[in-house]
Amino acid sequence: MELLSYMRLFVEVARTKSFRRAADALDMPNSTLSRHIAELEKTIGLRLLHRSTRKVELTEAGEVYFKRCQSIVEEARMAHESLLDVVERPSGTLRVSMPVDLATGYLAPILRDFAATYPLISFEFDLTPRRVDLQAEPFDLAIRMGPPPTAPSMLVARQIALVPRHLYAAPGYLKQAPPLKHPSDLVHHVLCVAQGAMKQHGVSRTFHRGEEQVEVTVDTRFAINSVGLSRSLALLGVGIAALDGELTREDMAMGRLRRVLPDWSLSPVPVHAITETRLLPARTRLFIDFLKAHMEARFVDTGKAGGPKRRR
């Protein structure tokens, strides 16, 4: 049992490559952690870590040991938490990184319902668009919009939703703007589009109308990584924004925005839950399943269809 405990400490140090960060994550003094790792090395009879004042690196033996210990420690943790699964009372802290627009625009009601369903789980939400390092930072998962990550290859991405997008603009903008009857007319308009690549010129967009599909290369003058800012600029009459109909419901009702090219829609944006491993504790697995079920109930994958259809 003591050896397994030492393995857990070693895995955290090897994962973060820092005694200080590992000690913070484990909630123990740095000196205690260092002493336990030294005892582990003494027990094994091999040096596992190269220590310096600036960084910690794995030795060759440490690399081998780390690869084996990771799965052992994870399996032991899962075995322990499976007891909570039996009685359906998951607990602990769930640490999630997600974009602020997604959290405030879509997920807030779902988070409320999940918290009410599982009262023993506490939460730490980091609202940021940056790509957090799930191996070095203490996150259980990250929620991201757009294509799944291609690197590092060990990350696991689960698609939990497809968010439909349509074009909207303020009446004042449309009054003075050139005619807009087909997606190809967008070359004469100002676009305020949230996108991950942040390219400003020659962006290719695919539009759908029933079975018809058109690809248009447009000049996105305002390339933004925030749906909220894209909506705000559209409200101010700066240009046309690509938004979900749910976010514009009130603006449409008040006459602040109008649907542009109502028969056409952009390709939906996938939403992924990204984790470091497939071996997930109960609270993380339940959270992902809860998000997927509730977001799928809200959005329908329209594929080639011209717009979202709400489930009844």
Side-chain angles (χ1 to χ4, degrees):
M1 197 66 177
E2 184 179 61
L3 181 59
L4 182 59
S5 177
Y6 285 170
M7 283 182 177
R8 183 175 70 92
L9 303 183
F10 167 74
V11 165
E12 191 64 28
V13 174
R15 188 175 67 85
T16 60
K17 288 186 169 56
S18 166
F19 274 86
R20 180 183 58 79
R21 288 197 296 269
D24 290 342
L26 295 165
D27 195 24
M28 68 166 50
N30 197 345
S31 58
T32 301
L33 176 60
S34 182
R35 185 175 71 253
H36 286 329
I37 297 300
E39 290 171 357
L40 175 63
E41 290 177 321
K42 184 177 179 181
T43 300
I44 295 174
L46 291 170
R47 180 171 290 279
L48 301 173
L49 300 167
H50 290 303
R51 303 166 175 81
S52 72
T53 55
R54 293 186 176 181
K55 60 182 179 178
V56 174
E57 297 288 343
L58 291 168
T59 65
E60 183 177 355
E63 290 278 4
V64 174
Y65 196 61
F66 178 53
K67 289 178 182 178
R68 296 300 301 272
C69 284
Q70 267 188 308
S71 58
I72 294 171
V73 170
E74 187 68 14
E75 286 286 351
R77 183 169 65 87
M78 292 294 295
H80 179 73
E81 292 199 358
S82 66
L83 298 177
L84 298 176
D85 283 350
V86 173
V87 294
E88 296 184 351
R89 288 176 62 84
S91 62
T93 300
L94 184 66
R95 300 175 176 87
V96 187
S97 170
M98 63 180 79
V100 62
D101 288 329
L102 185 67
T104 57
Y106 299 97
L107 300 186
I110 301 176
L111 301 178
R112 175 202 59 198
D113 294 343
F114 182 81
T117 305
Y118 300 101
L120 297 182
I121 297 178
S122 57
F123 306 89
E124 291 182 11
F125 295 128
D126 179 56
L127 304 187
T128 174
R130 73 181 180 90
R131 298 287 180 177
V132 298
D133 189 339
L134 292 172
Q135 293 179 298
E137 297 181 70
F139 290 103
D140 295 294
L141 74 155
I143 308 296
R144 291 290 178 263
M145 300 183 74
T150 56
S153 58
M154 68 283 293
L155 294 179
V156 179
R158 299 169 176 82
Q159 183 173 294
I160 59 175
L162 282 165
V163 180
R165 294 182 301 163
H166 312 285
L167 298 181
Y168 297 88
Y173 172 84
L174 295 175
K175 186 179 296 185
Q176 54 81 36
L180 186 54
K181 297 181 179 180
H182 187 270
S184 60
D185 295 329
L186 288 168
V187 296
H188 306 299
H189 288 262
V190 176
L191 296 187
C192 311
V193 180
Q195 57 188 46
M198 299 301 289
K199 295 177 182 177
Q200 289 187 295
H201 302 288
V203 180
S204 180
R205 304 285 178 182
T206 302
F207 291 84
H208 305 275
R209 182 175 64 178
E211 298 298 318
E212 187 179 358
Q213 180 173 303
V214 173
E215 190 164 304
V216 179
T217 299
V218 295
D219 184 1
T220 304
R221 185 181 182 191
F222 294 90
I224 309 162
N225 68 346
S226 167
V227 174
L229 179 57
S230 180
R231 170 180 168 271
S232 295
L233 290 175
L235 286 169
L236 291 170
V238 173
I240 300 172
L243 304 167
D244 162 45
E246 191 73 17
L247 294 180
T248 61
R249 184 184 300 275
E250 184 178 343
D251 295 323
M252 292 279 287
M254 299 296 292
R256 294 188 293 256
L257 288 178
R258 290 181 186 172
R259 176 86 178 267
V260 177
L261 297 174
D263 294 334
W264 295 86
S265 65
L266 282 158
S267 297
V269 178
V271 181
H272 291 90
I274 304 167
T275 58
E276 182 191 2
T277 175
R278 295 184 185 277
L279 297 172
L280 302 176
R283 59 181 176 271
T284 306
R285 187 178 68 254
L286 288 169
F287 183 70
I288 293 173
D289 291 344
F290 199 91
L291 287 183
K292 182 176 175 63
H294 285 71
M295 291 194 78
E296 283 183 344
R298 179 173 179 175
F299 302 121
V300 175
D301 177 11
T302 56
K304 298 178 181 180
K309 296 178 181 178
R310 302 290 175 189
R311 290 182 179 176
R312 298 184 182 273

